[in-house]
mmCIF file of all heavy atoms in Angstrom:
data_model
loop_
_atom_site.group_PDB
_atom_site.id
_atom_site.type_symbol
_atom_site.label_atom_id
_atom_site.label_comp_id
_atom_site.label_asym_id
_atom_site.label_seq_id
_atom_site.Cartn_x
_atom_site.Cartn_y
_atom_site.Cartn_z
ATOM 1 N N ARG L 183 -13.806 -37.184 -17.352
ATOM 2 C CA ARG L 183 -12.802 -38.118 -16.788
ATOM 3 C C ARG L 183 -13.345 -39.541 -16.748
ATOM 4 O O ARG L 183 -12.593 -40.508 -16.880
ATOM 5 C CB ARG L 183 -12.385 -37.678 -15.373
ATOM 6 C CG ARG L 183 -11.517 -36.433 -15.326
ATOM 7 C CD ARG L 183 -10.777 -36.323 -13.996
ATOM 8 N NE ARG L 183 -11.648 -36.153 -12.838
ATOM 9 C CZ ARG L 183 -12.202 -35.009 -12.458
ATOM 10 N NH1 ARG L 183 -11.979 -33.902 -13.149
ATOM 11 N NH2 ARG L 183 -12.964 -34.951 -11.378
ATOM 12 N N LEU L 184 -14.659 -39.670 -16.550
ATOM 13 C CA LEU L 184 -15.266 -41.014 -16.531
ATOM 14 C C LEU L 184 -15.352 -41.624 -17.921
ATOM 15 O O LEU L 184 -15.650 -42.802 -18.058
ATOM 16 C CB LEU L 184 -16.678 -40.952 -15.934
ATOM 17 C CG LEU L 184 -16.797 -40.719 -14.442
ATOM 18 C CD1 LEU L 184 -18.261 -40.602 -14.053
ATOM 19 C CD2 LEU L 184 -16.127 -41.831 -13.649
ATOM 20 N N GLY L 185 -15.159 -40.786 -18.952
ATOM 21 C CA GLY L 185 -15.158 -41.338 -20.314
ATOM 22 C C GLY L 185 -16.227 -40.801 -21.235
ATOM 23 O O GLY L 185 -16.290 -41.216 -22.402
ATOM 24 N N ALA L 186 -17.098 -39.890 -20.733
ATOM 25 C CA ALA L 186 -18.160 -39.365 -21.610
ATOM 26 C C ALA L 186 -17.530 -38.652 -22.812
ATOM 27 O O ALA L 186 -16.531 -37.943 -22.677
ATOM 28 C CB ALA L 186 -19.054 -38.409 -20.835
ATOM 29 N N ASP L 187 -18.127 -38.851 -24.000
ATOM 30 C CA ASP L 187 -17.581 -38.249 -25.219
ATOM 31 C C ASP L 187 -18.037 -36.800 -25.375
ATOM 32 O O ASP L 187 -17.272 -35.936 -25.789
ATOM 33 C CB ASP L 187 -18.056 -39.065 -26.438
ATOM 34 C CG ASP L 187 -17.592 -40.507 -26.353
ATOM 35 O OD1 ASP L 187 -16.410 -40.750 -26.608
ATOM 36 O OD2 ASP L 187 -18.413 -41.385 -25.988
ATOM 37 N N ILE L 188 -19.303 -36.538 -25.079
ATOM 38 C CA ILE L 188 -19.851 -35.181 -25.205
ATOM 39 C C ILE L 188 -20.497 -34.831 -23.870
ATOM 40 O O ILE L 188 -21.336 -35.584 -23.360
ATOM 41 C CB ILE L 188 -20.916 -35.120 -26.329
ATOM 42 C CG1 ILE L 188 -20.299 -35.534 -27.673
ATOM 43 C CG2 ILE L 188 -21.522 -33.721 -26.409
ATOM 44 C CD1 ILE L 188 -21.329 -35.679 -28.806
ATOM 45 N N VAL L 189 -20.077 -33.702 -23.296
ATOM 46 C CA VAL L 189 -20.614 -33.299 -21.994
ATOM 47 C C VAL L 189 -21.221 -31.908 -22.142
ATOM 48 O O VAL L 189 -20.587 -31.001 -22.679
ATOM 49 C CB VAL L 189 -19.505 -33.294 -20.921
ATOM 50 C CG1 VAL L 189 -20.073 -32.867 -19.586
ATOM 51 C CG2 VAL L 189 -18.872 -34.674 -20.805
ATOM 52 N N ILE L 190 -22.448 -31.760 -21.666
ATOM 53 C CA ILE L 190 -23.179 -30.498 -21.835
ATOM 54 C C ILE L 190 -23.514 -29.925 -20.461
ATOM 55 O O ILE L 190 -24.170 -30.595 -19.655
ATOM 56 C CB ILE L 190 -24.489 -30.737 -22.620
ATOM 57 C CG1 ILE L 190 -24.155 -31.388 -23.971
ATOM 58 C CG2 ILE L 190 -25.259 -29.434 -22.822
ATOM 59 C CD1 ILE L 190 -25.136 -32.439 -24.391
ATOM 60 N N ASP L 191 -23.041 -28.709 -20.210
ATOM 61 C CA ASP L 191 -23.430 -28.004 -18.980
ATOM 62 C C ASP L 191 -24.832 -27.458 -19.219
ATOM 63 O O ASP L 191 -25.012 -26.450 -19.911
ATOM 64 C CB ASP L 191 -22.427 -26.877 -18.681
ATOM 65 C CG ASP L 191 -22.761 -26.162 -17.381
ATOM 66 O OD1 ASP L 191 -23.922 -26.255 -16.924
ATOM 67 O OD2 ASP L 191 -21.862 -25.507 -16.825
ATOM 68 N N TYR L 192 -25.831 -28.156 -18.668
ATOM 69 C CA TYR L 192 -27.225 -27.815 -19.013
ATOM 70 C C TYR L 192 -27.646 -26.456 -18.462
ATOM 71 O O TYR L 192 -28.673 -25.917 -18.868
ATOM 72 C CB TYR L 192 -28.186 -28.919 -18.563
ATOM 73 C CG TYR L 192 -28.376 -29.029 -17.062
ATOM 74 C CD1 TYR L 192 -29.306 -28.259 -16.388
ATOM 75 C CD2 TYR L 192 -27.605 -29.927 -16.316
ATOM 76 C CE1 TYR L 192 -29.470 -28.358 -15.015
ATOM 77 C CE2 TYR L 192 -27.757 -30.032 -14.944
ATOM 78 C CZ TYR L 192 -28.689 -29.252 -14.304
ATOM 79 O OH TYR L 192 -28.840 -29.337 -12.940
ATOM 80 N N LYS L 193 -26.838 -25.895 -17.562
ATOM 81 C CA LYS L 193 -27.182 -24.560 -17.049
ATOM 82 C C LYS L 193 -26.724 -23.470 -18.022
ATOM 83 O O LYS L 193 -27.169 -22.335 -17.948
ATOM 84 C CB LYS L 193 -26.572 -24.352 -15.665
ATOM 85 C CG LYS L 193 -27.255 -25.232 -14.618
ATOM 86 C CD LYS L 193 -26.798 -24.986 -13.209
ATOM 87 C CE LYS L 193 -27.590 -25.870 -12.247
ATOM 88 N NZ LYS L 193 -26.928 -26.084 -10.982
ATOM 89 N N LYS L 194 -25.801 -23.840 -18.929
ATOM 90 C CA LYS L 194 -25.292 -22.857 -19.902
ATOM 91 C C LYS L 194 -25.769 -23.139 -21.324
ATOM 92 O O LYS L 194 -26.001 -22.234 -22.111
ATOM 93 C CB LYS L 194 -23.758 -22.869 -19.878
ATOM 94 C CG LYS L 194 -23.216 -22.155 -18.659
ATOM 95 C CD LYS L 194 -21.728 -22.210 -18.474
ATOM 96 C CE LYS L 194 -20.870 -22.192 -19.695
ATOM 97 N NZ LYS L 194 -19.473 -22.527 -19.381
ATOM 98 N N ASP L 195 -25.868 -24.419 -21.660
ATOM 99 C CA ASP L 195 -26.155 -24.785 -23.048
ATOM 100 C C ASP L 195 -27.393 -25.666 -23.134
ATOM 101 O O ASP L 195 -27.686 -26.426 -22.215
ATOM 102 C CB ASP L 195 -24.961 -25.542 -23.657
ATOM 103 C CG ASP L 195 -23.723 -24.661 -23.733
ATOM 104 O OD1 ASP L 195 -23.851 -23.523 -24.205
ATOM 105 O OD2 ASP L 195 -22.649 -25.113 -23.282
ATOM 106 N N ASP L 196 -28.066 -25.563 -24.279
ATOM 107 C CA ASP L 196 -29.254 -26.382 -24.535
ATOM 108 C C ASP L 196 -28.781 -27.715 -25.139
ATOM 109 O O ASP L 196 -28.144 -27.721 -26.201
ATOM 110 C CB ASP L 196 -30.151 -25.617 -25.518
ATOM 111 C CG ASP L 196 -31.376 -26.429 -25.912
ATOM 112 O OD1 ASP L 196 -31.676 -27.417 -25.217
ATOM 113 O OD2 ASP L 196 -32.017 -26.078 -26.922
ATOM 114 N N PHE L 197 -29.106 -28.799 -24.493
ATOM 115 C CA PHE L 197 -28.577 -30.090 -24.987
ATOM 116 C C PHE L 197 -29.130 -30.433 -26.371
ATOM 117 O O PHE L 197 -28.479 -31.127 -27.148
ATOM 118 C CB PHE L 197 -28.791 -31.220 -23.967
ATOM 119 C CG PHE L 197 -30.195 -31.697 -23.761
ATOM 120 C CD1 PHE L 197 -30.742 -32.681 -24.582
ATOM 121 C CD2 PHE L 197 -30.967 -31.206 -22.717
ATOM 122 C CE1 PHE L 197 -32.027 -33.147 -24.380
ATOM 123 C CE2 PHE L 197 -32.256 -31.663 -22.512
ATOM 124 C CZ PHE L 197 -32.791 -32.638 -23.348
#
Side-chain angles (χ1 to χ4, degrees):
R183 288 199 296 280
L184 288 176
D187 300 284
I188 301 172
V189 180
I190 303 141
D191 182 340
Y192 71 86
K193 290 186 177 158
K194 284 175 35 192
D195 296 312
D196 177 16
F197 71 86

